Amino acid sequence: MLPTEYILVSLPQRIFDDDPLSSLAATIGRDNGEALPFAIPSFKIGTLDALVQHADDLTKLNAGCEAVVFKVSDSLKAILDGDEEKAAQQKMVNDKPTDHYVRSFQWNKVRYRADRPLGELIENLQKELQNIDNDVKAKFNQYNAVRTNLATLQRRQTGNLATKSLTPIVNPNLLVQDSEYLETHLIAVPTNARKDFLRSYETIAPMVVPRSSMQVAQDDEFTLFAVTTFKKTSAEFLQKCREQKWTPRQYKHVEGGKEEEQREIDRVAKEEKKVWGEALRLGRTGWSESVMIWMHTMALRVFVETVLRYGLPLEFVCALTKTTPKQAKKIKTNLDNAYSYLGGNAFGRDKRGRVTKDDASLTSEMAAAGLNVAEGSEYTPYVYYEFEFP
């Protein structure tokens, strides 16, 4: 499946003799993508200084929207074990496919009243985006913590003798208990070191009870031995075991411990399933909300930059085109060839008729228009944005 890219273009109506949208569609080229009308309300314009500030704020908000949308996408993919197809099924906006929402976008006049100041609308979008980011992040962190806890508990049941729980393995009658002077240690010894252990365990530290070694259990990698020492030399014995790459295991007999461990696994498994469902629902909601906020942000960006570039009276045509990255380059070339003159002295043509940029003139043109193009982005002589969804 080819990747999808969307393009938003705004142009002043005064440059068209015929229907603006039809003329723009012809410039874009039918083979490159369909030009759809993108409706933008008539917002309160305010002062030039305020518009310039709004443009900066919207640039930052747009970057924030993109980051949150991509983070939510990654979270959905992670919770669905990397299954791209299943993750795509969750990416709905208002219970409809994302592409349907984008191509039929309508400004939500109930949620974001168009008669409110632009600064207020931008602030509301910023707060909503931050809340979504925080909620999704918190829930997915909770899920990851529960999943890690469950994996640890399950690993203790299914790992080797050096790591797994000894509760269902060790017979407490094998251990010296309630002695004032003696205690029993459980040592997991690699299978290939078994003979070395039996030959040397009595002498690696003082006051090891001779012939006290007993085999408790064995698996493919380790043999578990019980060894009795005097308490006063226990620490030295355990340290010598570690130096030999033998693993001392902590164990304390608790009545009913085996059943309690299983109950804990069952409880955490139930919690993991519950939090998984909550995270999936919140991820689905987070996708829908963050995409809606992003599209409203894009609408505001187009409006603000259209005012800054083309001035008043505010008469413009805005179109959305769904295309591919390869075709987007062709669309950009077609638009530059048709509308580069809108850039004034900043754009010209070489001897072959190709559009060229005069960087010195471009800087002065931008400053005169009150525009501040972000570092790394390309200035165009018309309002132009590309965006895509993960």
Side-chain angles (χ1 to χ4, degrees), residues 126-317:
Q126 289 170 333
K127 288 179 179 178
E128 288 184 4
L129 183 69
Q130 188 62 57
N131 288 337
I132 291 166
D133 188 28
N134 291 340
D135 290 346
V136 172
K137 190 184 300 180
K139 181 56 67 176
F140 276 83
N141 284 345
Q142 180 190 2
Y143 171 70
N144 287 332
V146 174
R147 185 175 62 173
T148 300
N149 187 20
L150 178 61
T152 301
L153 292 172
Q154 291 174 334
R155 191 163 54 248
R156 291 186 62 194
Q157 297 295 311
T158 59
N160 58 44
L161 288 169
T163 59
K164 72 190 300 183
S165 170
L166 300 180
T167 300
I169 296 173
V170 176
N171 182 349
N173 294 327
L174 296 176
L175 309 179
V176 175
Q177 301 182 56
D178 303 323
S179 170
E180 185 177 351
Y181 301 106
L182 300 175
E183 64 180 333
T184 303
H185 306 286
L186 295 169
I187 310 297
V189 179
T191 301
N192 59 9
R194 189 173 184 276
K195 290 183 179 179
D196 289 341
F197 172 81
L198 291 173
R199 184 172 58 248
S200 60
Y201 79 91
E202 295 177 352
T203 58
I204 62 171
M207 304 183 78
V208 176
V209 176
R211 299 183 181 180
S212 62
S213 168
M214 290 183 292
Q215 181 173 320
V216 178
Q218 185 174 4
D219 61 22
D220 293 339
E221 300 176 65
F222 291 89
T223 301
L224 185 68
F225 289 99
V227 177
T228 302
T229 70
F230 280 77
K231 289 183 177 179
K232 62 190 294 184
T233 61
S234 289
E236 184 178 352
F237 173 75
L238 295 176
Q239 179 58 35
K240 294 295 183 181
C241 285
R242 293 187 186 95
E243 291 174 3
Q244 297 295 324
K245 302 294 192 284
W246 308 335
T247 306
R249 296 298 314 277
Q250 293 291 326
Y251 172 80
K252 185 175 182 180
H253 174 65
V254 177
E255 198 66 41
K258 181 178 178 180
E259 293 77 10
E260 179 58 35
E261 280 191 359
Q262 188 57 52
R263 281 195 295 271
E264 177 67 5
I265 290 175
D266 293 342
R267 183 191 69 78
V268 176
K270 185 177 179 181
E271 183 184 4
E272 191 261 357
K273 186 175 181 180
K274 171 177 170 286
V275 178
W276 181 89
E278 293 172 351
L280 183 62
R281 286 191 295 274
L282 191 57
R284 199 160 50 215
T285 301
W287 173 267
S288 178
E289 291 291 315
S290 58
V291 169
M292 285 193 288
I293 290 172
W294 195 5
M295 290 307 299
H296 282 77
T297 299
M298 292 300 299
L300 285 175
R301 289 191 83 190
V302 171
F303 178 83
V304 169
E305 189 165 350
T306 296
V307 177
L308 287 172
R309 284 175 183 266
Y310 310 141
L312 301 174
L314 193 59
E315 296 175 346
F316 65 100
V317 57

